[in-house]
């Protein structure tokens, strides 16, 4: 009962605030995040009544919903990798996806390592190196929601979605290498397996898992002809992929793990290129997942730790991180788009759309929490893991509240969003009904 009450209050609060956000011409994603803060541990949750908002320590009960939503978001992005489209922009998206992530990491690393030498008591070298890699990650969820809400279409949007997808793969590699280097600095030795082998296993293993489940998915869809059953099969296979990608096992220093994001992206890619009815089915999946995505962002908002603002030095490092990451994303996308000879609008506006950051970055910060050596409390009273997590949380709080709005503005400037905003389903239905009556009267 308490879980259902919490979810219903969260969803309804998010939807009501999205109406206010529309009046203020803000993306619905921003409204959902603000709703999460309102029903989270720092506002409604302060009453400590389970079922009435999210009580501190109670949010973890909804982790499975977040995993499910991220899986469907990745599946939707994978559906953008159609062969005919990749032939046009595949090379450009690959160049931009790799270079902008590497440039961002280098710029953030340079700034934070310089700050470390100024104030080593505040920011350890290991934390600076790890944060540089985390900076490369972009949030596919917020970006996709803005694109879908405003039905964005054009060269920037067509390039953006593949770049965001590639960004996660490149980010995983950069993080794995940086994390290995940071551990080597802390322990005094370098482990090539953790730096090179494990990230490659995760990336290629995830892609292979997506291919295998995607082929099975396409085969099974042939036996179902009704739209409702095909939708059910689609949901089942996305859930299957998420479940399989949560498998982990270690053989000595070799760690076998999968990325749910990469696996579900590949599942969507295989499906959209094999099934001739994939576009129609994806439209139905989008409608089914709409409340799930809304809940995901409300829960994400509830997870944001507002107490970070009371930690002065964390805020200072966080501001440096946000400023340098923003510069890295923008200049990295701009320079790589010029190198790839992209359209002028892509050169100007793509970097702004890559600013949102959330789930993937927090996932990387969680991995740092699992390293025992980084849990040791330093002279500052915090551990390397705590510093990394708090700065990442601060950045996510800022980026998730303002990133979707900046993405919307960039796409509007590029001329890929109707200035009037999202189309009302009620008005569309009224037009269709009016058109039907007009045809009927004409026939009579």
């Amino acid at each position: 009962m308490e879980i259902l009450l919490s979810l219903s209050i969260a969803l309804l609060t998010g939807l009501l605030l999205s109406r206010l956000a529309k009046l203020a011409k803000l993306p619905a994603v921003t409204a959902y995040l603000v709703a999460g803060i309102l029903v989270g541990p720092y506002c409604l949750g302060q009453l400590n009544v389970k079922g009435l908002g999210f009580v501190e320590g109670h949010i973890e009960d909804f982790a499975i919903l977040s995993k499910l939503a991220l899986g469907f978001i990745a599946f939707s992005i994978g559906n953008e990798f159609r062969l005919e489209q990749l032939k046009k922009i595949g090379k450009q998206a690959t160049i931009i996806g790799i270079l902008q992530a590497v440039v961002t990491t280098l710029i953030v690393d340079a700034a934070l390592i310089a700050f470390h030498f100024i104030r080593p008591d505040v920011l350890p070298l290991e934390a600076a190196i790890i944060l540089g890699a985390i900076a490369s990650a972009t949030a596919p969820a917020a970006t996709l929601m803005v694109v879908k809400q405003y039905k964005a279409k054009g060269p920037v949007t067509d390039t953006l979605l593949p770049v965001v997808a590639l960004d996660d793969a490149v980010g995983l590699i950069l993080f794995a290498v940086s994390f290995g280097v940071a551990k080597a600095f802390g322990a005094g030795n370098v482990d090539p397996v953790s730096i090179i082998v494990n990230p490659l296993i995760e990336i290629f293993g995830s892609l292979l898992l997506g291919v295998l489940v995607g082929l099975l998915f396409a085969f099974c869809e042939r036996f179902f002809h009704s739209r409702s059953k095909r939708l059910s099969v689609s949901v089942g296979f996305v859930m299957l992929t998420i479940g399989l990608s949560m498998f982990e096992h270690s053989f000595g220093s070799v760690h076998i793990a999968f990325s749910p994001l990469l696996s579900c992206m590949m599942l969507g890619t295989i499906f959209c290129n094999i099934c001739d009815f994939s576009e129609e089915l994806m439209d139905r999946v989008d409608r089914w997942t709409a409340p799930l995505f809304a809940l995901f962002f409300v829960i994400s908002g509830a997870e944001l730790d507002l107490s970070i603002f009371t930690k002065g030095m964390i805020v200072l490092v966080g501001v440096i991180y946000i400023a340098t990451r923003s510069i890295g994303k923008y200049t990295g996308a701009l320079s790589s788009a010029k190198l790839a000879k992209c359209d002028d609008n892509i050169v100007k506006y793509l970097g702004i759309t890559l600013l949102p950051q959330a789930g993937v970055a927090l996932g990387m910060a969680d991995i740092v929490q699992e390293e025992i050596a980084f849990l040791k409390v330093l002279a500052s009273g915090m551990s390397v893991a705590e510093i990394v997590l708090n700065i990442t949380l601060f950045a996510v709080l800022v980026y998730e509240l303002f990133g979707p709005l900046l993405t919307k503005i960039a796409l509007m400037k590029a001329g890929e969003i109707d200035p009037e905003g999202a189309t009302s389903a009620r008005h569309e239905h009224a037009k269709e009904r009016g058109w039907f009556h007009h045809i009927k009267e004409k026939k009579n």
Side-chain angles (χ1 to χ4, degrees):
M1 181 185 77
E2 292 167 353
I3 289 177
L4 288 176
L5 282 173
S6 294
L7 290 176
S8 63
I9 290 171
L11 180 58
L12 293 172
T13 304
L15 292 172
L16 289 171
L17 280 183
S18 71
R19 296 301 83 200
L20 295 176
K22 187 176 181 181
L23 294 175
K25 296 184 178 180
L26 294 171
V29 178
T30 305
Y32 297 146
L33 290 164
V34 172
I37 293 172
L38 293 177
V39 301
Y42 293 93
C43 291
L44 200 58
Q46 284 288 309
L47 298 175
N48 204 29
V49 178
K50 285 191 176 182
L52 187 64
F54 297 108
V55 179
E56 192 169 0
H58 185 49
I59 306 175
E60 295 174 0
D61 297 343
F62 305 97
I64 191 65
L65 281 176
S66 296
K67 290 182 185 294
L68 190 62
L70 281 171
F72 276 102
I73 287 163
F75 179 67
S76 295
I77 291 175
N79 269 269
E80 301 297 327
F81 284 87
R82 299 179 185 274
L83 286 177
E84 62 269 21
Q85 189 177 2
L86 286 177
K87 288 176 183 176
K88 298 177 184 176
I89 62 166
K91 183 180 178 181
Q92 293 178 335
T94 302
I95 292 171
I96 297 169
I98 295 172
L99 290 184
Q100 57 83 24
V102 172
V103 168
T104 302
T105 295
L106 291 176
I107 289 176
V108 176
D109 265 341
L112 294 184
I113 290 172
F115 184 84
H116 158 74
F117 285 112
I118 297 169
R119 290 295 302 271
D121 57 314
V122 173
L123 184 66
L125 181 60
E126 297 91 333
I129 293 170
I130 293 169
L131 285 166
I134 291 176
S136 66
T138 300
T143 303
L144 185 68
M145 281 288 284
V146 172
V147 168
K148 287 186 178 295
Q149 181 186 351
Y150 295 102
K151 297 179 174 63
K153 289 181 181 178
V156 179
T157 305
D158 291 340
T159 307
L160 169 62
L161 295 175
V163 166
V164 168
L166 282 169
D167 186 85
D168 286 321
V170 177
L172 281 172
I173 296 173
L174 291 172
F175 175 75
V177 173
S178 297
F179 191 47
V181 171
K183 285 196 290 184
F185 271 111
N189 66 312
V190 178
D191 179 11
V193 173
S194 63
I195 295 176
I196 301 171
V197 177
N198 288 341
L200 291 177
I201 290 174
E202 181 171 345
I203 291 167
F204 288 107
S206 300
L207 296 178
L208 179 60
L209 176 63
V211 169
L212 294 176
V213 180
L215 293 173
L216 182 61
F217 178 21
F219 175 75
C220 290
E221 283 283 4
R222 298 176 185 177
F223 299 104
F224 301 93
H225 304 288
S226 73
R227 291 177 177 178
S228 59
K229 284 191 172 67
R230 280 179 170 174
L231 173 62
S232 300
V233 173
S234 303
V235 172
F237 270 96
V238 174
M239 292 173 70
L240 174 65
T241 307
I242 296 168
L244 290 175
S245 63
M246 292 169 71
F247 170 83
E248 289 186 41
H249 194 73
S250 295
F251 298 96
S253 59
V254 177
H255 185 64
I256 297 175
F258 302 92
S259 165
L261 281 174
L262 291 180
S263 298
C264 289
M265 279 179 195
M266 183 53 71
L267 174 72
T269 301
I270 296 296
F271 177 66
C272 76
N273 284 290
I274 292 180
C275 292
D276 52 5
F277 53 83
S278 61
E279 287 192 54
E280 177 196 345
L281 186 58
M282 274 309 301
D283 184 56
R284 297 182 68 83
V285 171
D286 286 343
R287 295 178 187 182
W288 183 86
T289 55
L292 177 64
F293 288 173
L295 273 174
F296 166 71
F297 284 106
V298 175
I299 292 170
S300 297
E303 288 178 323
L304 297 176
D305 187 358
L306 301 185
S307 66
I308 290 171
F309 289 110
T310 63
K311 302 170 183 175
M313 294 310 296
I314 291 295
V315 171
L316 174 61
V317 178
V319 168
I320 295 170
Y321 172 90
I322 290 169
T324 52
R325 179 182 179 271
S326 300
I327 292 169
K329 284 290 178 184
Y330 184 77
T331 57
L334 185 146
S335 57
S336 56
K338 279 186 177 179
L339 182 65
K341 297 179 181 178
C342 293
D343 181 87
D344 285 344
N345 276 347
I346 296 174
V347 174
K348 286 181 190 174
Y349 302 115
L350 183 65
I352 300 171
T353 65
L354 297 174
L355 293 181
Q357 188 174 47
V360 179
L362 290 175
M364 292 175 178
D366 285 340
I367 292 172
V368 180
Q369 299 287 309
E370 297 170 6
E371 182 63 34
I372 296 173
F374 290 156
L375 295 176
K376 184 180 178 182
V377 178
L378 305 173
S380 62
M382 299 178 72
S383 66
V384 169
E386 283 181 299
I387 292 169
V388 169
L389 181 61
N390 279 286
I391 292 169
T392 305
L393 281 169
F394 175 75
V396 166
L397 176 62
V398 174
Y399 278 125
E400 284 298 90
L401 289 176
F402 298 102
L405 175 61
L406 292 173
T407 298
K408 177 198 170 185
I409 292 170
L411 292 176
M412 283 187 69
K413 291 282 187 183
E416 300 187 11
I417 286 180
D418 184 346
E420 295 181 3
T423 307
S424 169
R426 184 180 286 115
H427 292 163
E428 282 187 347
H429 180 65
K431 285 180 183 178
E432 289 174 4
R433 188 170 53 192
W435 177 83
F436 175 76
H437 286 312
H438 173 72
I439 297 296
K440 191 174 181 181
E441 287 172 8
K442 196 173 181 181
K443 284 183 178 180
N444 292 336

